[in-house]
Amino acid sequence: MKISARNQLKGQVVEVVKGVTTSHVRIDIGGAVVTAAITNEAVDALNLDAGMKAVAVIKASDVMVALDD
Amino acid sequence: MKISARNQLKGQVVEVVKGVTTSHVRIDIGGAVVTAAITNEAVDALNLDAGMKAVAVIKASDVMVALDD
Amino acid sequence: MKISARNQLKGQVVEVVKGVTTSHVRIDIGGAVVTAAITNEAVDALNLDAGMKAVAVIKASDVMVALDD
Amino acid sequence: MKISARNQLKGQVVEVVKGVTTSHVRIDIGGAVVTAAITNEAVDALNLDAGMKAVAVIKASDVMVALDD
Amino acid sequence: MKISARNQLKGQVVEVVKGVTTSHVRIDIGGAVVTAAITNEAVDALNLDAGMKAVAVIKASDVMVALDD
Amino acid sequence: MKISARNQLKGQVVEVVKGVTTSHVRIDIGGAVVTAAITNEAVDALNLDAGMKAVAVIKASDVMVALDD
């Protein structure tokens, strides 16, 4: 599958924390760790676990820009 | 200002493309370039331009996880 | 690529309208037409055009529920 | 109420799963099931339950487009 | 229609600016002005114009929290 | 930090409800209460608690417009 989302940051899963319905998946993209909040069903469907290679995917319209003071 | 968004990726603006209402800002975060689609007003308010240091800010609930085949 | 987004609605592109930075892509998913607002770059990268098979992908946290009166 | 969101997919609730703060609501839109992650408060406010008619509402800027390989 | 989105801020449209595909609608909610970026089609479908009463609708998962320094 | 998000509504935290991974933070912005669904980690990082001054931050592309009947 190829997807329109402009941001596809390759890395490695470093942690999966499951809640009752929502999980947090942390992906080390090299120099930074990205946190994704996704459904438990998605974690199960992809069999996500620490150590796996994974891609953090983000639609351009969901990215903001900030300036440090 | 400190913000709740879990993903704050520091980098440098490499391109600002303005449309009539929506701009695309590309930020090199080191090894990857992140594209942000934001309003022209935001570009003007922050005086965004190529070469500036900037931070790509993304809420965790807007990050998906993908696996390459 | 397999993606965590829970909603993947298969259909056919019926229209692509390009703005200066943002395009609107309409996908007939069978009985309903879904509109996606994505970047022009994404339209070009996927070579999207009317008639193509495509999938509308939506993260579960971006779906709301409404009741008709 | 009329809302600007371009995607309003009519269907029937097939499942409501409550977490501590976030619920997952599944709506059969005819041929496909859409999953919505919404707050428990919203589920209570709308009295959502399996069997009810409901509409999955999605803003166009939250829809991505993918191509199967 | 009743919608699950937890944030429904009533106000008055003060400005509608149309781009080629995306419009910006500003709503004075009393003490603050909220900017919505929506499709031109939505502006046309709702006949949005300055002076009209309108509601800014925002899903809870799209709201961040910040602290001023 | 200055951020591109066009909507920054100042107020006071009136409630913080923690789930297993997701918290709900309610901010009284004067005349209306805004609900934010954010990660528990964000609540901890900002030490959010009832009574604190805080800002509800919302990207313009996440705001919809509705008309009451």
Side-chain angles (χ1 to χ4, degrees), chain A:
Chain A
M1 198 172 80
K2 287 176 65 179
I3 194 159
S4 60
R6 289 301 82 200
N7 301 300
Q8 305 187 13
L9 306 171
K10 289 170 189 285
Q12 189 173 28
V13 177
V14 288
E15 192 184 31
V16 177
V17 178
K18 271 192 165 179
V20 183
T21 53
T22 309
S23 296
H24 291 173
V25 179
R26 290 190 177 79
I27 301 175
D28 186 332
I29 59 166
V33 173
V34 168
T35 300
I38 63 176
T39 62
N40 288 356
E41 287 76 14
V43 169
D44 294 342
L46 300 189
N47 273 314
L48 292 175
D49 211 349
M52 292 172 70
K53 289 189 177 178
V55 185
V57 178
I58 307 146
K59 199 172 184 302
S61 55
D62 287 326
V63 182
M64 291 159 286
V65 181
L67 300 180
D68 279 325
D69 296 321

Side-chain angles (χ1 to χ4, degrees), chain C residues 1 5 13-14 16-17 23 30 32 39 41 49 54 62 64 67:
Chain C
M1 199 171 78
V13 177
V14 288
V16 177
V17 178
S23 296
T39 62
E41 288 75 12
D49 211 349
D62 288 326
M64 290 160 287
L67 302 180

Side-chain angles (χ1 to χ4, degrees), chain B residues 17-20 22 24 26 61-69, chain C residues 1-5 20-22 39-41 57-59 61-62:
Chain B
V17 178
K18 273 192 164 179
V20 183
T22 309
H24 291 173
R26 288 191 178 78
S61 54
D62 288 326
V63 182
M64 290 159 287
V65 180
L67 302 180
D68 279 324
D69 294 322
Chain C
M1 199 171 78
K2 287 177 64 178
I3 194 159
S4 60
V20 183
T21 52
T22 308
T39 62
N40 289 356
E41 288 75 12
V57 178
I58 306 145
K59 199 172 184 304
S61 55
D62 288 326

